[in-house]
Amino acid sequence: EVQLVQSGAEVKKPGESLKISCKGSGYTFTSYWINWVRQMPGKGLEWMGIIYPGDSDTRYSPSFQGQVTISADKSINTAYLQWSSLKASDTAIYYCVRHRDSGKIYNPFDLWGQGTMVTVSS
Amino acid sequence: EIVLTQSPGTLSLSPGERATLSCRASQSVSSSYLAWYQHKPGQAPRLLIYGASNRATGIPDRFSGSGSGTDFTLTISRLEPEDFAVYYCQQYGSSPRTFGQGTKVEIK
C-alpha cells in the first residue's frame, strides 16, 4: 500500500526542541517531492516547505524560513520537520504530503499523512 | 505571493442541491496549476481536482472544476451526505504554494 505514516502526537513546553517524522512506503521515496503543511486550531492550511528526498533539495515558505528545518533520510524513507525552540504558537496539526507525479516540483498534493498534533504549553 | 480568496465563507445547503464554490487569485495562476481539496474533521485533506478541471483518481463525477487565470470554480452537482466538509483551493504553480481560507459546506 502506498502511504505516508507520521509520528504520534507530541506535548512539549515552550523552548523545547522537537523533530517529527513522516515515513513513506509502497513507492520510490526518493522520486517524489514531500511537503509539510500546517493547520493551526480552527484555521486553514498553510504550506511550510518542500524537500526532494533524492538529493535533499529543500525550499521554504518565507513565513517559515528560519523557524523550522525540513530534512530527509532516504536510507529509511523518512522525512522530518524539526524545531529548535518551540513556541505556544507552534501548536497545530502538521501534515506531510507527497506530490501526485514523480520528479515534478510544481504538482498537486496527492498523498497525505494522517497528521501529527503538536501541542506546546507551559 | 499569490493570495487566494474563497467565497462564500459558508454555504448552507440540503442534500441533493448544487454547490458552487469560488476561488479568486490575486494574480494569474501559472498553467492553471489550481487544485481543490476536501477536508473533513479528524481526517487528512483529499485531492479532488487538479489542473483546474481534472478529477483526481477515484473522485465521483458530481465534482467538477473550471476556470483559468484568476477565477476558478468548484461545482458539486448534487450534494451527498458525505460531501459536507471544508473545501480549499490551492495554487501550486509558484512559490510559495498558497491555499485559500476555505469554504465550509454545511447541512441546511
Side-chain angles (χ1 to χ4, degrees):
Chain A
E1 181 185 0
V2 178
Q3 60 181 350
L4 294 173
V5 178
Q6 298 184 230
S7 50
E10 301 275 0
V11 179
K12 292 289 194 179
K13 292 183 174 8
E16 292 186 329
S17 63
L18 176 64
K19 191 174 189 177
I20 63 174
S21 66
C22 168
K23 184 174 177 63
S25 61
Y27 72 97
T28 304
F29 185 72
T30 51
S31 296
Y32 289 77
W33 290 85
I34 294 279
N35 302 264
W36 286 95
V37 173
R38 182 176 78 174
Q39 184 177 37
M40 299 176 73
K43 302 298 183 182
L45 304 174
E46 299 174 271
W47 181 73
M48 302 176 72
I50 189 171
I51 188 165
Y52 191 70
D55 61 8
S56 290
D57 183 4
T58 307
R59 323 281 175 90
Y60 293 91
S61 165
S63 299
F64 291 92
Q65 180 83 47
Q67 308 305 307
V68 297
T69 300
I70 294 171
S71 61
D73 184 341
K74 62 184 180 182
S75 70
I76 55 171
N77 290 355
T78 301
Y80 301 97
L81 178 66
Q82 69 180 87
W83 295 259
S84 59
S85 181
L86 286 160
K87 302 184 278 288
S89 57
D90 292 317
T91 295
I93 298 173
Y94 294 88
Y95 294 99
C96 62
V97 54
R98 194 201 76 173
H99 281 179
R100 180 178 179 273
D101 300 307
S102 64
K104 296 185 178 181
I105 190 171
Y106 294 108
N107 210 246
F109 295 1
D110 189 35
L111 180 67
W112 294 72
Q114 82 276 20
T116 296
M117 179 70 218
V118 174
T119 303
V120 184
S121 174
S122 55
Chain B
E1 173 175 325
I2 297 178
V3 177
L4 299 178
T5 302
Q6 293 187 238
S7 61
T10 302
L11 204 48
S12 299
L13 295 168
S14 300
E17 290 194 293
R18 181 184 188 90
T20 303
L21 287 65
S22 174
C23 176
R24 178 160 291 177
S26 61
Q27 55 188 282
S28 185
V29 175
S30 172
S31 302
S32 292
Y33 284 167
L34 192 287
W36 290 92
Y37 300 87
Q38 178 191 67
H39 195 191
K40 297 179 181 179
Q43 298 183 21
R46 178 172 71 146
L47 175 66
L48 298 175
I49 301 288
Y50 64 95
S53 61
N54 301 291
R55 271 188 301 276
T57 303
I59 301 303
D61 61 8
R62 64 179 181 273
F63 291 92
S64 62
S66 63
S68 64
T70 60
D71 287 293
F72 299 89
T73 300
L74 174 70
T75 301
I76 310 171
S77 60
R78 291 177 317 279
L79 282 164
E80 297 287 341
E82 62 268 27
D83 298 337
F84 292 92
V86 178
Y87 292 83
Y88 294 96
C89 59
Q90 179 216 23
Q91 67 80 21
Y92 54 89
S94 65
S95 206
R97 281 67 159 164
T98 49
F99 291 91
Q101 82 279 16
T103 290
K104 182 179 182 180
V105 179
E106 64 175 23
I107 299 177
K108 186 174 182 180

